[in-house]
Amino acid sequence: MQKLLLTQFTELDIRRIFREEMESVFKENFKKEEQDIVPIQKAMKITSLARQTIYGLVNSNDIPFIKSEGHKKLFFSRIALLEWIKNGREHK
């Protein structure tokens, strides 16, 4: 059975409301993804490891990391680090 909703919204109103809701969802998801990428200072807190230990693990490719192209800065995915810890700190 099909439900019918009677409203005085115009088609443009409905499109605007839909667009605003979709933008809100995308912004929220983008913020979550943005918060997932962290610098080495936060990676140190997440893993309870010293900076030099993390650099050593990066050098031996034993910890998941992200290196931005053309830059020397290292970044880490909070989710990947937590999975790495959960799996016994083994890099895949």
Side-chain angles (χ1 to χ4, degrees):
M1 180 175 190
Q2 196 175 29
K3 293 183 180 181
L4 181 63
L5 174 65
L6 298 177
T7 179
Q8 295 202 4
F9 288 120
T10 66
E11 181 181 344
L12 288 176
D13 290 334
I14 293 171
R15 287 178 183 272
R16 179 185 50 79
I17 292 167
F18 181 76
R19 185 182 67 246
E20 289 172 358
E21 287 301 312
M22 292 302 294
E23 286 174 355
S24 173
V25 168
F26 286 123
K27 283 181 185 176
E28 190 173 306
N29 286 340
F30 181 75
K31 284 180 183 176
K32 287 178 185 175
E33 287 178 21
E34 193 175 66
Q35 291 173 352
D36 179 51
I37 306 302
V38 298
I40 192 164
Q41 295 85 354
K42 294 233 176 166
M44 291 165 55
K45 289 180 182 177
I46 292 168
T47 61
S48 298
L49 296 174
R51 179 184 303 263
Q52 288 306 111
T53 303
I54 292 176
Y55 281 138
L57 291 168
V58 166
N59 191 43
S60 62
N61 206 29
D62 287 329
I63 190 171
F65 68 94
I66 303 162
K67 187 169 183 181
S68 57
E69 267 186 57
H71 298 91
K72 292 184 177 182
K73 275 196 157 193
L74 289 175
F75 295 96
F76 301 85
S77 163
R78 180 187 313 267
I79 294 168
L81 288 175
L82 293 173
E83 282 294 315
W84 177 73
I85 292 168
K86 180 180 168 187
N87 293 328
R89 298 183 179 207
E90 295 175 2
H91 184 65
K92 295 179 180 180

